[in-house]
Amino acid sequence: MKILITGSSGMLGSDLVDILSRRHEVVTSGSLDIRDLEGVMELLRETRPDAVVHAAAFTDVDCAETERDTAYQVNVLGTRNIAAAASDVGSSILYISTDYVFDGEKGEGYLEFDEPNPINFYGKTKYLGEVSVRELSEMFYIVRTSWLFGRNGRNFVRTMVELAERGHEISVVDDQYGSPTYTRDLAAAIGDLLERPAYGVYHLTNSGQCSWYEFAIDIFNELDMEVCLKPVKSHEFPRPARRPSFSVLRNYNWSMEGFKALRNYRDALRDYLKDAGFVK
């Protein structure tokens, strides 16, 4: 297939380019501003991809609370533009969404058909992006994922290691739960999904779940580092955007389609630490 990837310089996008190009022809949106509808339409009409993987997004959850117009323009209008252009040229579209479309009140893993109810502005814009994709495309995949870590970009793992190397006492919330997900594993799974016209909504994460505090413990155990780590509650660590307390995603549709479950996040973490050079 010929696959167009937006956000190709990002943490997930860079792995998508690397992995998908081994099996398909890959083109990227380059420096195109996805808020430019005419520019998006021109690019899609020139490249005529079979599929578009839309990974470009405004992803700073806290900044989205104050930079609402920009977050809306990128995540809602930009996604609308990509979906409209993909429909115009007959391309399927795979949209990367988030666990933050849920409020975290369910108390158990979310299924694809559970009702979204985002509690921060970032989550609201990503959900509205989903709505645009559903309304404008008949050949869509919506892939919700969570707690990404990867080689190219800032992420929780890298932040924890850097803080530990500076000798800081590290406070980490222990009352928010999710499923850490390695971007290379996610990219490979997306590649498998694109090769089947099994359109719909998917939750795609590495297996297993933990709190941020437990994830930090896993990181330092793998690195054999002694760190002063302090568990705190969310209200003790206030941030501009509220986070859902339990946003674990059950990969239900993925398993119903017969795909193999992604490996446990601890195994993925071990490989990431080697790939990123933290383990010599």
Side-chain angles (χ1 to χ4, degrees), residues 119-256:
I119 58 175
N120 56 51
F121 195 73
Y122 165 74
K124 290 176 182 177
T125 63
K126 292 299 289 182
Y127 174 64
L128 290 173
E130 291 186 10
V131 173
S132 292
V133 169
R134 288 174 184 266
E135 290 181 345
L136 294 171
S137 176
E138 295 181 353
M139 300 183 295
F140 69 82
Y141 312 85
I142 292 171
V143 173
R144 297 178 183 139
T145 191
S146 68
W147 292 25
L148 296 184
F149 60 93
R151 295 179 299 176
N152 185 27
R154 300 295 304 175
N155 62 76
F156 180 79
V157 182
R158 187 175 296 277
T159 298
M160 288 296 102
V161 174
E162 290 176 354
L163 290 174
E165 288 175 340
R166 296 175 196 153
H168 293 304
E169 177 185 82
I170 305 174
S171 297
V172 184
V173 294
D174 68 349
D175 57 355
Q176 295 173 21
Y177 289 83
S179 295
T181 303
Y182 187 18
T183 50
R184 292 193 70 78
D185 290 353
L186 177 58
I190 286 171
D192 292 338
L193 192 55
L194 286 170
E195 292 173 1
R196 293 174 56 180
Y199 304 120
V201 182
Y202 290 86
H203 290 172
L204 260 179
T205 63
N206 280 113
S207 302
Q209 64 186 56
C210 60
S211 68
W212 286 115
Y213 175 72
E214 291 167 338
F215 191 28
I217 291 175
D218 291 329
I219 294 164
F220 297 129
N221 283 345
E222 287 294 334
L223 295 172
D224 198 25
M225 297 177 70
E226 291 188 10
V227 179
C228 185
L229 196 60
K230 177 185 176 183
V232 296
K233 302 303 179 187
S234 295
H235 68 83
E236 300 176 77
F237 197 75
R239 302 177 73 176
R242 289 178 60 200
R243 266 73 169 174
S245 60
F246 193 93
S247 60
V248 174
L249 301 176
R250 280 188 60 191
N251 297 187
Y252 186 72
N253 281 354
W254 179 257
S255 65
M256 291 296 99

Side-chain angles (χ1 to χ4, degrees), residues 78-91:
T79 299
R80 178 209 62 192
N81 295 345
I82 297 292
S87 179
D88 179 67
V89 300
S91 304

